[in-house]
Amino acid sequence: MKRRHFLTFLVAIAVSLLLSTGLKLFNPPMAIARTNTTLLVSAAASLKDALQEINPGFERANPNIKVNYNFGASGALQQQIEQGAPADIFLSAATRQMDNLARSNLILPNTRRNLLTNRLVLVVPRDSTLKIDSFRDLTNPNIQKISAGEPRSVPAGQYSEEVFKNLGILERIRSKLVFANSVRNVLAAVETGNADAGIVYTTDAKISDRVKAIATAPENLHSPIVYPMAVVATSKNQAAARSYLSYLTKAPARAIFEKFGFGIAK
């Protein structure tokens, strides 16, 4: 009888050890499970080329962090975050959208920082023969279609509207304006000849060989063009997100931003 109890005891220990070992095989420690992280960065469309070039360097420096991007108009990205769409980081082309999220407590305030600056330029198709040298020339009757960002959701459109108002030409050109839902769509309209002219950032003009920039808007005609960044409050990868934001301020990333024509915010 004692022998039978003893054998039962040994079997119980053996089963316990097997279960314990099996659980460890299928449930790695939390520290290991969290080693690989994927970040989702919601970023203004004008940042697309620079961020994609920066990405390989960041992932080499942080081999356990993979970065995916969601590019679009800053206003549309703001609305996505407000509606609960997943995002770890928000990079806006204007302060207004970031301010709106901050008022709703949807970003971590101690992670917010101004990253970049930009300039606004007037572009025409590369082969254009229209006589146009300045923003004021947009009132000329030979300019029939002007592409610009939708002011309520596209920061470049907001800045463009400010320029038109401050030059006193908005009402004279209003019927010519064709609004796009991102600054890259403005660029595409000019590239394809679907618009006689368009207003984009200098960084957009630099990446295209199908348009030419003919004028730069004086900075006193529009709000400062600033790109703020912050970690989204609902992010489940806040430590990795902070590492990404930190990398964007370091020399390798700054060099790429400057190559694309961005200024570094003070």
Side-chain angles (χ1 to χ4, degrees), residues 12-266:
I13 291 175
V15 170
S16 177
L17 288 172
L18 284 170
L19 287 173
S20 176
T21 303
L23 286 172
K24 287 180 180 178
L25 287 173
F26 292 105
N27 296 284
M30 288 299 290
I32 297 174
R34 291 176 179 170
T35 297
N36 297 318
T37 301
T38 299
L39 292 176
L40 180 57
V41 178
S42 288
S46 52
L47 292 166
K48 181 176 181 179
D49 297 87
L51 289 180
Q52 287 181 334
E53 187 164 322
I54 286 169
N55 198 56
F58 171 77
E59 291 189 350
R60 282 195 299 271
N62 300 270
N64 297 321
I65 304 176
K66 177 178 172 57
V67 184
N68 291 332
Y69 294 97
N70 174 28
F71 294 107
S74 298
L77 298 176
Q78 171 204 325
Q79 290 179 352
Q80 290 172 16
I81 293 170
E82 289 173 335
Q83 293 166 6
D88 295 295
I89 290 166
F90 181 44
L91 279 161
S92 177
T95 57
R96 182 171 70 182
Q97 290 74 25
M98 191 68 79
D99 290 342
N100 289 339
L101 291 183
R103 280 191 287 270
S104 300
N105 298 316
L106 290 174
I107 61 166
L108 298 181
N110 62 351
T111 66
R112 180 173 177 174
R113 176 173 176 173
N114 290 336
L115 179 64
L116 303 168
T117 62
N118 213 333
R119 299 294 301 273
L120 203 66
V121 295
L122 177 62
V123 295
V124 296
R126 175 65 63 181
D127 58 358
S128 175
T129 58
L130 295 173
K131 294 186 180 298
I132 176 171
D133 299 310
S134 70
F135 283 82
R136 290 187 184 278
D137 288 340
L138 293 174
T139 61
N140 294 350
N142 59 341
I143 307 297
Q144 297 182 349
K145 290 184 178 180
I146 305 164
S147 184
E150 208 292 318
R152 291 169 297 180
S153 61
V154 182
Q158 169 198 331
Y159 301 130
S160 300
E161 186 175 69
E162 291 173 1
V163 171
F164 300 150
K165 285 181 177 178
N166 287 321
L167 288 175
I169 65 172
L170 179 59
E171 295 310 316
R172 296 170 65 187
I173 67 171
R174 190 181 292 278
S175 63
K176 303 179 182 183
L177 292 172
V178 179
F179 294 117
N181 60 10
S182 79
V183 69
R184 288 300 171 87
N185 286 341
V186 174
L187 182 67
V190 181
E191 286 178 327
T192 57
N194 289 326
D196 300 313
I199 296 86
V200 299
Y201 297 120
T202 186
T203 51
D204 299 303
K206 282 174 68 72
I207 66 169
S208 176
D209 59 3
R210 292 190 287 166
V211 304
K212 54 185 176 182
I214 57 175
T216 301
E219 291 183 293
N220 65 340
L221 293 182
H222 58 76
S223 304
I225 301 176
V226 178
Y227 288 68
M229 60 181 182
V231 175
V232 177
T234 55
S235 170
K236 297 178 180 178
N237 306 299
Q238 293 182 9
R242 289 171 187 267
S243 296
Y244 180 81
L245 294 190
S246 176
Y247 185 85
L248 294 185
T249 67
K250 298 186 184 304
R254 287 202 306 268
I256 292 173
F257 283 131
E258 290 173 335
K259 183 186 81 170
F260 279 91
F262 290 99
I264 305 302
K266 304 296 184 187

